[in-house]
Amino acid sequence: MATVTLKGNAIHTSGELPKTGTKAPDFKLTNTDLETVSLSDFSGSKVVLNIFPSVDTGTCAASVRAFNKEASTLENTKVLCISHDLPFAMARFCGAEGLDNVINLSDYKDGSFGKTYGLDFTDGPLETLHSRCVVVLDETGNVVYTEQVPEIVDEPNYQAALEALK
């Protein structure tokens, strides 16, 4: 279990992020077309998992915007924005913002992604939502970088995540 804070108050997660150097666990998530997507669908590409509580908060929206901007310059890289938000909300947000360089995926059906990756909140006002994390995978699906943002209202270290892609 990891501990992060929400405006200085401790909250806990269901486990630990996958370790650097290990194979990323597979997952099944729902895209904005309501299709099931798995990690294997991105085999052969570098993958950035931008994970957050809800696109309808300022910091989460900022991370989607920031990664969308960077994704347009990255070769052989897919940026997956993952939360419990309904696919409709994610499509609405990205459509309104003109964001088309990221892939929005929802863990709303069974929450197995958050449990498998050890990042669901287990207490506090955000209980059951995902903590703010970035996980970067190489072309073979191995974890090359992880960050669990220690204060949930803060943005992730975009530069460190992008450096891990090199």
Side-chain angles (χ1 to χ4, degrees):
M1 162 179 15
T3 301
V4 298
T5 58
L6 172 62
K7 298 181 180 178
N9 298 304
I11 50 179
H12 305 94
T13 65
S14 58
E16 302 288 333
L17 291 175
K19 300 289 183 212
T20 301
T22 65
K23 194 77 158 168
D26 200 8
F27 54 73
K28 290 197 182 314
L29 296 167
T30 305
N31 69 16
T32 56
D33 292 325
L34 302 179
E35 300 166 333
T36 299
V37 175
S38 67
L39 180 57
S40 61
D41 292 328
F42 305 99
S43 181
S45 295
K46 296 176 187 173
V47 177
V48 176
L49 306 177
N50 175 34
I51 307 156
F52 49 87
S54 175
V55 75
D56 286 323
T57 66
T59 306
C60 300
S63 74
V64 174
R65 287 185 199 104
F67 276 119
N68 181 77
K69 180 181 175 188
E70 294 298 333
S72 66
T73 66
L74 302 173
E75 288 189 36
N76 192 35
T77 303
K78 305 292 185 201
V79 177
L80 312 182
C81 294
I82 303 169
S83 71
H84 275 289
D85 288 310
L86 291 175
F88 314 114
M90 299 171 99
R92 173 192 38 80
F93 173 79
C94 286
E97 297 268 335
L99 307 177
D100 56 9
N101 296 318
V102 294
I103 299 166
N104 293 295
L105 299 174
S106 177
D107 193 19
Y108 83 100
K109 284 188 177 176
D110 66 5
S112 62
F113 173 82
K115 291 173 182 64
T116 300
Y117 277 69
L119 50 80
D120 281 344
F121 288 123
T122 59
D123 56 14
L126 300 179
E127 186 175 358
T128 73
L129 295 178
H130 297 331
S131 62
R132 185 175 322 287
C133 303
V134 177
V135 178
V136 178
L137 312 176
D138 67 13
E139 297 94 329
T140 64
N142 288 317
V143 178
V144 295
Y145 173 83
T146 65
E147 176 190 12
Q148 187 160 51
V149 179
E151 169 57 55
I152 197 68
V153 300
D154 292 342
E155 292 182 56
N157 185 339
Y158 303 112
Q159 201 56 42
L162 296 170
E163 285 294 317
L165 293 167
K166 296 179 180 178

